[in-house]
Amino acid sequence: MEADPDTPSPAMRAALSVIEAEHRGFATVLHALQRHLGPVREGRQPPNHDLFGTILAYADTFMDRFHHPKEDEHLFRAVRTRTAEADSVLLRLQHEHANGPAELRGLHESLGRSRNGTAGEVAEFAGRLEKYIAGQEAHMRLESGTVFPIARRVLTQADWERIDEAFRGNSDPFFGA
């Protein structure tokens, strides 16, 4: 009896489950940033430097050093070998992955200037952080709304097994494996 082509394989389900869980965890972190940024943006309180610094370090440590490289090396590469349909989207996403560490360094520097800074320096940090949050949310929507459906359609069982194996080793420092 052949497997139903519309039924996801266990490897596909497992790989996408890990990737989507990592996205949900990062979305939670972005939401926390947004929630704590509101009072700063409104001038009701100064930035909580420890909190913002910790969350930005998480984005750098986990998302930019583990999650994004695995997407680039395993998921995106596999999709490229099966179709050119997603090439422009993958190029954009990989460009955003490559620019992420510099964007975070800029945010850390802006956060540092806001510590004893002027209202303008606090506003600059808040604006940069809002832009970062919006960009990351749009990035994840593009992956889940465009790349994942194409991957589901074109990748083979062997592709999904390699992707699952690569992502299975991730252990999110905030949210666990």
Side-chain angles (χ1 to χ4, degrees):
M1 175 185 260
E2 286 187 32
D4 180 353
D6 293 329
T7 302
S9 72
M12 178 194 301
R13 280 194 308 272
L16 287 174
S17 176
V18 171
I19 296 168
E20 290 168 342
E22 290 174 2
H23 281 192
R24 281 190 306 277
F26 193 44
T28 299
V29 166
L30 294 172
H31 179 73
L33 281 171
Q34 189 71 49
R35 193 181 74 222
H36 288 282
L37 186 59
V40 172
R41 179 55 103 181
E42 295 162 4
R44 292 187 287 126
Q45 69 183 46
N48 180 329
H49 292 85
D50 292 337
L51 174 74
F52 285 124
T54 298
I55 293 174
L56 294 175
Y58 163 80
D60 177 49
T61 301
F62 186 69
M63 296 305 289
D64 283 346
R65 294 187 194 179
F66 291 96
H67 178 84
H68 292 153
K70 287 185 179 183
E71 284 180 331
D72 291 342
E73 294 168 24
H74 301 282
L75 177 63
F76 296 176
R77 180 178 287 161
V79 169
R80 276 198 174 97
T81 66
R82 303 290 176 203
T83 184
E85 177 183 355
D87 284 356
S88 64
V89 170
L90 294 176
L91 184 63
R92 174 182 165 188
L93 292 169
Q94 287 184 293
H95 178 74
E96 290 172 2
H97 288 173
N99 288 333
E103 190 174 8
L104 282 169
R105 274 192 305 279
L107 271 167
H108 277 289
E109 291 165 4
S110 181
L111 176 63
R113 287 190 300 273
S114 76
R115 184 172 295 278
N116 294 312
T118 65
E121 288 167 321
V122 171
E124 183 228 346
F125 167 71
R128 287 180 85 142
L129 186 56
E130 285 175 337
K131 181 181 174 199
Y132 175 78
I133 292 166
Q136 292 302 308
E137 290 172 339
H139 180 96
M140 288 188 292
R141 280 192 306 273
L142 187 57
E143 286 177 343
S144 62
T146 302
V147 177
F148 295 175
I150 293 170
R152 283 183 180 99
R153 195 176 71 248
V154 303
L155 297 184
T156 67
Q157 173 70 18
D159 294 331
W160 284 113
E161 287 170 358
R162 285 189 294 276
I163 294 164
D164 178 40
E165 184 177 332
F167 275 90
R168 196 176 323 132
N170 283 4
S171 181
D172 187 316
F174 278 5
F175 302 102

